[in-house]
Amino acid sequence: MRLLPHPAAADIELTEVLRALSDPVRLAVVGKLAVRGEMSCSDAGDELGVHKSTASHHYRTLREAGVVMTKQEGRLHLMSLRRADLDARFPGLLDAVLTACSP
């Protein structure tokens, strides 16, 4: 298993998290991860309705902002929310965003 580069929990910035969550596609990915837990990037991208390269861009934006953790197992990339890190850094933010965006 190999971890891709991620910001340390203390280095996660509110402006970057909010910027990452401002896109509807990225918000949909975060919503899926909140419900399903860890998912492969290919499974998450199947329902997005965007090209694979566009989905990869969104995953990278979420990872670099500190919203998701991505690990590589062989050819598979697995994503999960960094809920504990986000809740410790910005209490209630993720829950508020997910509640406001749920149907």
Side-chain angles (χ1 to χ4, degrees), residues 37-57:
E38 187 175 71
M39 295 178 67
S40 72
C41 290
S42 60
D43 287 345
D46 286 344
E47 303 166 18
L48 293 178
V50 297
H51 291 282
K52 186 177 177 181
S53 60
T54 303
S56 294
H57 164 75

Side-chain angles (χ1 to χ4, degrees), residues 62-94:
L62 288 168
R63 179 176 47 83
E64 290 177 348
V67 177
V68 299
M69 176 72 65
T70 306
K71 62 184 178 182
Q72 184 176 359
E73 290 184 3
R75 295 180 61 169
L76 204 59
H77 287 82
L78 300 171
M79 284 189 305
S80 58
L81 279 180
R82 292 180 67 177
R83 182 176 285 277
D85 292 338
L86 291 170
D87 286 344
R89 191 95 165 99
F90 314 109
L93 174 68
L94 191 56

Side-chain angles (χ1 to χ4, degrees), residues 19-34:
R19 184 182 64 78
L21 295 175
S22 69
D23 185 276
V25 173
R26 293 191 288 263
L27 197 53
V29 171
V30 169
K32 283 185 193 183
L33 291 172

Side-chain angles (χ1 to χ4, degrees), residues 2-17:
R2 182 180 80 129
L3 282 177
L4 297 173
H6 298 83
D11 295 334
I12 298 174
E13 296 179 18
L14 180 60
T15 54
E16 291 302 310
V17 171

